[in-house]
Amino acid sequence: MIKNSVAGTLESNDVMIEIMAHDQGRLIELDSPVKDMFENDILKVINDVLDEFKIDDIRVVIKDQGALDYALAARLRTALKRGML
Amino acid sequence: MNKYAGIKDYVFHDYHFNNQKGHDLSKKQILLSELEKKITFKDGMVFSFHHHMRNGDGVANIIFDIIKKLDLKDITIVASSIFPIHLPMVELIKNKNITKIYSAYISGPVAECISAGYLKDGVHMHSHGSRARILLEKEIIIDVAFVASPCVDQKSHINGSQGKSSCGVLGYAIADALVAKQVVAITDNIVDRVDDIEIDGHNVDYVIEIDQIGDPKGIVSGTTQITRDPLGLLIADYAAKVIEGSGLLKDGFSFQTGAGGISLAVADELMKIMQEKDIKGSFASGGITGYLVKMLEAGLFERLEDVQCFDLEAVNSIVRNENHHKMSASIYANPYDAHNIVKDLDVVILGATEIDLNYNVNVTTGSNGVIMGGSGGHSDTAAGAKLAIIVSKLVSSRISVVKDQVTTITTPGDSIDVLVTEYGVAINPKHQDLINKLKKETNLKLRTMAELYDIAISLTNKPQKIKLSDEKVGIIEYRDGTLLDYLYKVTK
Amino acid sequence: MALPFIRSALFIPANNPGMVQTAHLLGSDAIIFDLEDAISLNQKDSARELLKAGFEFFQKDEVIRIVRINPMDSPYFNDDIAMVKSFNIDYIMLAKASISSVKALAEALSDTNIKIIALIESANGVLNLKDILSASPLVEGMLFGAEDFALDMQIERTKQSDEILMARQQIALTCKALNKFCFDTPFTDTEDFEMLNVDIKKAKAFGFTGKACINPRQVKYVNAVFTPTIKEIEYAQEVIFAAKKAQEEGLGVFSLNGKMVDAPIINRSQLVLENALKAGVINE
């Protein structure tokens, strides 16, 4: 069971990640100034963390400001821990 | 070290003649509405304008009104730079009224429009020095030069540093005024006699007075503040140490720096060192900011050589300080001009959007290939200076400044000497002496460009290559006219 | 035992990726990743998660890594320790350090190489300093937190810092007697570099071995004051040279420039040269 939760900020080098319940697979919405260059890397990090938490159905809304992989993973983990009941 | 053939002394554009008679204003002054009757505007003409009004320009849009009203076709625009305020060009480009553009710098909607492929015959990008060469060598003939003129007098002489729309100096308008078939001066300030003549009245064909040629707030908006970002300050500190370690920082030192936050911080560091060690420099040049004025007034330089005033302090200084000199783009950076101030530069501080493993620098496009700038004086000063130093963060918001290959070459790698980043300093391998000296005498973290690249990749991962289309939308020429690179169409 | 050469320790909020990932470039000898006062209560989890990911991602380099954890009486103490101890961190800085909280922390860290820095920020902290520093051999040093100390004392905190004069001196005295390093309290006006310099020099004069910074621009000032000066280095070199000569001649004590030089002075000179080397002011 996932409840709506947020983690992270909109500062440079950070990312704000919001998670919501969604019952048809993983819906990942990515907004990033470096989408052209790193979309695949960002999605991989998100999916790896979701695998870690064994989540198959969720909506993840990502507002990226150029966060590195470690920050993306950390922010998602925080949102998940806050949102999982 | 002028490797360019045909060095000329363009004496006829020496600023400081004051006995020229000019021509009576009464014979030249017309109303704006009369211009179309006086000049036979035709398809295929070439019009030029300067960018000293920056994003407060109120004159260039007059040109666009004329083109639109008369539905002129196949017009070429030769503009020293193009800013967001020149938005009306977009419609004219799309409708093929304007089909070709020459410029040293383009940002905003016009840049995006060109990158999207709308400009029929493409854009020809060049440096500030190249523009002077192109015009003075008559590689292109200007039919009508529109010169925004802060002050015009009764003999039609033009001066850039008087009046409510003063911009300080008209460095980028001089060549236009000398070679254009017709010169139209547009002013908001007519006086009896200008304090100094920048463009002699005999070059002027028509003078038009309007309410306001520009918005003063937009005119003097070129400078930023010294950066407060600790990483920017760190980079400035490293850059100052490189300069000190190079041995160039002694009496007679000459220097140029940009108007950005880190560049100003470097100037600040140098000022402290020069004051401490009682060093008297010879000149600082380029686009002049209040910061360099401060250094002049503190006695750290004998003179300033100014091609463009970035802020109000520079504008005020140029009026009251006889050691603050005006210079034309040709005197500044034309490789065929005997003066070519940049050849006498010891150090220049520059920025970069991208720099690659061969030290090639891109300041023209973003990594997606869209035009967002241009050389301006970049390739000129890099070629002329003994030490051309790029200051930039290595990685910021996941974007690395070091790439394996730049998207577009603005300045070739053999004229770039040093890259200073927060992760250390890369010195062009051709300067083994400098590398050894800095290794011995400083604590600077010296790295190869490849090492910096590896550090960046270890942080961000390797970026996906953005594939550019094959369709060309323009060229980039080097200072001597040779082809440096192409610009390609970018579709969303 | 020689104390570690840590002139400056820069506070970095642990919840800020931009700062966490570049802190090691800013020139301080140590970074204090702050999970305590820099982090609001509803972001404690976020900061801890980010710092954890950061430690996994970034290699350890020469900069000393300190993590300031929340005090024992907070709900975050145990989670903070559990996270930090899985990494090769140099020190945990314990807020509101007391004999019992130091013992509890030391117990938790007994299976690691992590050492402890006690944060002393109250009247009791200053009075009981000797016992707090002795509560565990893992305690290698301390930081004086004058802002919270002034609150506890119900006195006004000033730039002149007369009100903390005795506390500072007592702290330096105690640390020296127990051979612990001590960081002076950070200077809170980040625009006043003139007074910052005055404050750092006071700290050095009292016997502090370093000073905390709350802004990267303070770092170079702190490093400069706590770095051996040319004069100090030259004197130390003279002493060592003369000591070698004296040893060859079989003399235990000798005279240099009219002053008696014995073992403590020789040891101190040795230390100055070692520190000068570490600071990069001399090459050997």
Side-chain angles (χ1 to χ4, degrees):
Chain A
M1 264 303 310
I2 292 170
K3 77 170 204 279
N4 203 317
S5 61
V6 186
T9 74
L10 295 171
E11 305 251 329
S12 301
N13 304 293
D14 202 348
V15 59
M16 186 177 271
I17 298 186
E18 195 178 344
I19 60 166
M20 287 157 256
H22 180 77
D23 54 11
Q24 283 172 355
R26 293 178 181 177
L27 176 58
I28 302 172
E29 294 163 23
L30 172 60
D31 176 27
S32 169
V34 294
K35 201 166 168 171
D36 285 350
M37 294 190 258
F38 296 111
E39 182 172 21
N40 294 343
D41 293 86
I42 296 170
L43 292 177
K44 182 171 193 312
V45 168
I46 301 300
N47 280 306
D48 284 351
V49 172
L50 292 176
D51 289 345
E52 220 179 274
F53 281 68
K54 296 186 172 48
I55 297 174
D56 297 319
D57 301 293
I58 188 171
R59 180 170 165 219
V60 182
V61 179
I62 305 162
K63 293 199 181 91
D64 179 41
Q65 297 296 335
L68 302 182
D69 283 351
Y70 82 95
L72 285 162
R75 292 336 200 174
L76 179 55
R77 285 191 194 112
T78 304
L80 289 170
K81 286 180 186 174
R82 288 174 176 176
M84 287 174 75
L85 306 162
Chain B
M1 283 128 288
N2 260 319
K3 48 184 197 254
Y4 307 101
I7 308 302
K8 308 196 177 173
D9 212 345
Y10 293 111
V11 288
F12 54 89
H13 69 271
D14 181 347
Y15 267 111
H16 302 291
F17 47 84
N18 275 311
N19 292 325
Q20 287 296 327
K21 295 202 208 96
H23 279 173
D24 281 343
L25 178 64
S26 52
K27 298 196 172 69
K28 316 240 174 168
Q29 189 169 4
I30 61 173
L31 297 172
L32 180 54
S33 51
E34 296 177 279
L35 189 60
E36 293 148 46
K37 295 189 211 99
K38 298 288 188 179
I39 294 182
T40 316
F41 288 105
K42 284 205 276 257
D43 290 349
M45 273 187 159
V46 179
F47 302 144
S48 80
F49 63 89
H50 67 74
H51 73 278
H52 286 286
M53 301 290 123
R54 304 190 65 81
N55 215 32
D57 184 0
V59 163
N61 293 344
I62 290 176
I63 309 172
F64 309 136
D65 285 342
I66 293 173
I67 296 173
K68 184 167 179 185
K69 179 158 168 245
L70 301 177
D71 197 26
L72 299 172
K73 297 280 192 222
D74 294 318
I75 298 297
T76 297
I77 298 289
V78 178
S80 53
S81 293
I82 297 173
F83 293 108
I85 195 140
H86 302 124
L87 169 65
M89 281 178 88
V90 171
E91 193 194 335
L92 299 175
I93 292 170
K94 288 185 174 170
N95 292 334
K96 299 202 179 30
N97 299 107
I98 296 174
T99 52
K100 194 169 172 76
I101 292 173
Y102 283 69
S103 190
Y105 180 98
I106 310 176
S107 72
V110 177
E112 286 159 18
C113 175
I114 296 172
S115 287
Y118 289 105
L119 187 62
K120 178 169 158 284
D121 295 329
V123 66
H124 183 129
M125 297 200 74
H126 49 65
S127 70
H128 284 326
S130 295
R131 184 173 190 274
R133 187 202 85 240
I134 290 169
L135 295 184
L136 294 169
E137 293 297 309
K138 306 237 173 21
E139 290 175 30
I140 185 166
I141 307 294
I142 297 175
D143 291 296
V144 188
F146 293 83
V147 181
S149 307
C151 189
V152 175
D153 70 11
Q154 296 300 324
K155 289 297 182 188
S156 311
H157 296 311
I158 303 175
N159 177 13
S161 50
Q162 279 173 260
K164 61 187 177 182
S165 307
S166 169
C167 60
V169 53
L170 291 170
Y172 299 116
I174 308 302
D176 302 44
L178 290 169
V179 301
K181 284 186 184 162
Q182 308 215 61
V183 176
V184 179
I186 302 176
T187 186
D188 56 11
N189 177 36
I190 295 181
V191 301
D192 281 342
R193 174 104 201 165
V194 291
D195 293 339
D196 86 287
I197 300 169
E198 284 192 62
I199 295 171
D200 192 283
H202 79 259
N203 292 308
V204 179
D205 295 283
Y206 299 104
V207 175
I208 298 171
E209 191 180 15
I210 62 174
D211 277 338
Q212 214 166 345
I213 62 172
D215 175 4
K217 281 197 249 48
I219 296 169
V220 290
S221 64
T223 318
T224 53
Q225 297 298 320
I226 293 180
T227 181
R228 294 175 64 87
D229 180 350
L231 295 176
L233 292 171
L234 189 72
I235 292 167
D237 184 50
Y238 289 167
K241 292 199 164 85
V242 169
I243 295 170
E244 229 190 330
S246 71
L248 290 169
L249 193 57
K250 52 185 198 282
D251 283 344
F253 176 63
S254 61
F255 174 67
Q256 179 157 337
T257 190
I262 301 182
S263 304
L264 292 180
V266 179
D268 192 42
E269 284 302 306
L270 285 185
M271 177 149 117
K272 291 189 196 128
I273 300 172
M274 288 172 82
Q275 279 171 329
E276 229 173 277
K277 299 195 168 165
D278 202 27
I279 293 172
K280 178 119 185 171
S282 54
F283 72 91
S285 59
I288 298 296
T289 62
Y291 217 84
L292 293 172
V293 168
K294 217 162 88 169
M295 291 176 89
L296 175 70
E297 288 171 358
L300 298 176
F301 289 109
E302 280 166 13
R303 58 193 205 278
L304 297 180
E305 304 291 346
D306 192 345
V307 70
Q308 175 179 194
C309 291
F310 276 127
D311 56 29
L312 202 53
E313 282 93 342
V315 170
N316 291 336
S317 168
I318 213 169
V319 170
R320 61 159 194 269
N321 195 328
E322 63 176 12
N323 296 318
H324 186 158
H325 302 155
K326 296 180 178 181
M327 65 177 173
S328 68
S330 185
I331 289 177
Y332 169 43
N334 177 2
Y336 290 100
D337 191 314
H339 294 277
N340 177 7
I341 296 288
V342 297
K343 70 176 168 20
D344 297 327
L345 269 174
D346 286 324
V347 172
V348 63
I349 305 292
L350 297 166
T353 312
E354 300 176 328
I355 183 168
D356 67 22
L357 299 171
N358 293 313
Y359 287 78
N360 296 312
V361 169
N362 174 14
V363 291
T364 306
T365 65
S367 295
N368 56 5
V370 175
I371 300 167
M372 37 65 80
S375 166
H378 202 282
S379 55
D380 296 315
T381 50
K386 294 198 187 78
L387 206 59
I389 302 177
I390 305 289
V391 290
S392 173
K393 283 201 244 191
L394 178 65
V395 174
S396 187
S397 299
R398 203 170 186 161
I399 299 175
S400 166
V401 74
V402 178
K403 304 281 199 273
D404 55 355
Q405 205 174 35
V406 288
T407 305
T408 315
I409 300 179
T410 313
T411 299
D414 69 0
S415 59
I416 299 291
D417 305 302
V418 184
L419 170 66
V420 181
T421 75
E422 71 279 33
Y423 287 90
V425 177
I427 300 176
N428 195 319
K430 69 181 191 170
H431 293 300
Q432 265 310 127
D433 290 349
L434 180 60
I435 295 172
N436 295 338
K437 190 169 196 286
L438 293 178
K439 207 179 275 188
K440 214 172 90 155
E441 296 172 16
T442 71
N443 287 329
L444 287 167
K445 273 180 280 198
L446 297 178
R447 311 224 193 238
T448 64
M449 190 65 82
E451 282 167 355
L452 286 180
Y453 178 67
D454 287 341
I455 291 171
I457 299 305
S458 74
L459 294 169
T460 70
N461 287 353
K462 213 160 174 215
Q464 290 147 223
K465 266 280 184 235
I466 299 171
K467 190 154 185 333
L468 298 177
S469 79
D470 292 324
E471 206 180 316
K472 299 189 177 89
V473 297
I475 63 164
I476 297 186
E477 70 148 59
Y478 191 47
R479 326 171 63 206
D480 58 1
T482 57
L483 173 66
L484 203 48
D485 207 342
Y486 290 104
L487 291 158
Y488 296 94
K489 180 169 163 180
V490 180
T491 41
K492 272 287 151 118
Chain C
M1 192 202 74
L3 292 176
F5 182 59
I6 313 175
R7 300 162 296 180
S8 50
L10 175 63
F11 273 102
I12 293 287
N15 200 31
N16 186 315
M19 290 196 223
V20 163
Q21 63 205 31
T22 55
H24 63 288
L25 302 171
L26 296 170
S28 61
D29 293 333
I31 301 290
I32 306 170
F33 296 96
D34 193 5
L35 291 171
E36 201 231 354
D37 277 355
I39 312 296
S40 60
L41 298 185
N42 61 3
Q43 300 302 337
K44 297 286 187 190
D45 60 338
S46 180
R48 198 183 305 116
E49 198 72 63
L50 184 69
L51 199 56
K52 175 165 183 256
F55 288 150
E56 280 163 356
F57 187 66
F58 291 97
Q59 305 289 8
K60 164 127 181 67
D61 62 9
E62 294 123 35
V63 180
I64 291 170
R65 301 191 294 187
I66 303 168
V67 179
R68 178 162 76 167
I69 62 172
N70 293 280
M72 190 169 72
D73 59 1
S74 76
Y76 316 108
F77 183 68
N78 291 320
D79 286 338
D80 287 349
I81 297 175
M83 184 277 282
V84 179
K85 63 184 281 186
S86 50
F87 298 102
N88 188 9
I89 301 303
D90 298 287
Y91 298 93
I92 284 185
M93 180 180 288
L94 178 59
K96 296 200 180 59
S98 63
I99 297 167
S100 52
S101 64
V102 165
K103 282 196 195 303
L105 179 57
E107 173 74 38
L109 294 179
S110 57
D111 55 344
T112 71
N113 287 325
I114 304 175
K115 305 288 189 287
I116 298 173
I117 296 173
L119 176 51
I120 301 299
E121 41 187 348
S122 66
N124 271 313
V126 174
L127 277 182
N128 297 326
L129 184 56
K130 186 151 165 269
D131 294 332
I132 296 171
L133 293 179
S134 311
S136 162
L138 293 187
V139 180
E140 283 194 0
M142 58 142 288
L143 166 66
F144 178 38
E147 310 310 309
D148 281 348
F149 171 78
L151 271 174
D152 188 45
M153 289 288 296
Q154 294 181 308
I155 58 179
E156 196 195 331
R157 183 84 183 86
T158 69
K159 266 194 211 179
Q160 264 307 110
S161 297
D162 286 338
E163 71 281 355
I164 57 169
L165 175 60
M166 198 221 72
R168 267 170 149 175
Q169 289 176 323
Q170 177 141 327
I171 286 166
L173 178 69
T174 311
C175 287
K176 185 48 100 174
L178 268 53
N179 195 33
K180 307 291 180 194
F181 62 80
C182 48
F183 292 130
D184 188 35
T185 191
F187 187 75
T188 54
D189 186 344
T190 55
E191 298 299 324
D192 188 353
F193 295 104
E194 208 181 300
M195 278 310 287
L196 167 67
N197 233 359
V198 168
D199 197 49
I200 307 168
K201 289 184 172 143
K202 258 190 210 159
K204 179 171 176 181
F206 293 151
F208 281 87
T209 58
K211 192 174 174 74
C213 302
I214 50 166
N215 186 293
R217 289 187 296 164
Q218 297 178 327
V219 170
K220 68 177 183 195
Y221 293 92
V222 172
N223 284 350
V225 171
F226 283 103
T227 300
T229 63
I230 304 290
K231 248 175 72 175
E232 286 169 341
I233 294 168
E234 282 174 352
Y235 177 69
Q237 285 170 331
E238 269 181 57
V239 167
I240 297 301
F241 183 71
K244 280 204 179 94
K245 253 183 72 188
Q247 199 180 34
E248 282 158 22
E249 291 165 19
L251 298 168
V253 169
F254 58 93
S255 174
L256 183 64
N257 301 336
K259 277 200 184 149
M260 193 192 78
V261 175
D262 58 0
I265 296 182
I266 298 172
N267 288 337
R268 192 200 161 108
S269 296
Q270 203 114 358
L271 192 61
V272 167
L273 292 181
E274 274 166 25
N275 288 344
L277 198 66
K278 283 186 202 160
V281 255
I282 54 172
N283 300 317
E284 212 132 306

